[in-house]
Amino acid sequence: MLTIEQLNQFGANTDEGIARCAGSEALYLRLVKMIPAETNFDNLKNAIEANDLDEAFAAAHALKGVLGNLSLTPMFDKCVEITELLRSRTQMDYTPLLNELLSMKDTLTAMCSE
């Protein structure tokens, strides 16, 4: 069962996230548990693999918003880094950054399914 303590150890700013959920810890946890199913992770991965920087930017920007609103700070920070590189259409190998983000997603997924 996902707990606020686990999310704090993960690096989330749960106080801020709960405040954005009108003070409802239950709502916050329910929304965080939806993150593993977020389709923009796959959209980002597929777009990067296809070297479609416009589509990758759209997916990264959408993820940045979701992760930021839930104050999932480590994931948000990585997504900001990716988003800003994509915004400037930087030609580079995004795989290491993407793998870091997906690794954090895997960690969160494991926490949600315990």
Side-chain angles (χ1 to χ4, degrees):
M1 174 179 203
L2 183 65
T3 67
I4 295 301
E5 183 178 318
Q6 284 176 306
L7 289 169
N8 286 333
Q9 290 173 354
F10 180 68
N13 183 339
T14 56
D15 289 339
E16 186 178 271
I18 292 168
R20 285 194 181 108
C21 292
S24 173
E25 184 177 308
L27 174 60
Y28 177 71
L29 290 172
R30 189 167 63 240
L31 292 173
V32 169
K33 288 177 187 175
M34 295 171 70
I35 294 299
E38 171 58 56
T39 58
N40 278 305
F41 287 106
D42 287 335
N43 294 346
L44 177 59
K45 181 179 184 290
N46 294 336
I48 285 175
E49 288 173 353
N51 199 34
D52 183 343
L53 299 186
D54 291 331
E55 186 62 33
F57 172 76
H61 192 265
L63 281 172
K64 183 179 89 163
V66 170
L67 298 170
N69 281 328
L70 293 174
S71 299
L72 294 173
T73 308
M75 296 177 78
F76 172 76
D77 290 347
K78 187 55 59 183
C79 209
V80 166
E81 182 179 357
I82 294 168
T83 300
E84 293 311 309
L85 288 166
L86 288 166
R87 183 186 309 277
S88 64
R89 302 304 187 258
T90 302
Q91 291 291 330
M92 61 177 276
D93 181 6
Y94 286 89
T95 306
L97 295 172
L98 177 64
N99 287 342
E100 288 179 52
L101 179 62
L102 294 177
S103 176
M104 287 184 260
K105 177 191 172 231
D106 290 344
T107 300
L108 182 64
T109 299
M111 289 179 353
C112 290
S113 62
E114 289 178 345

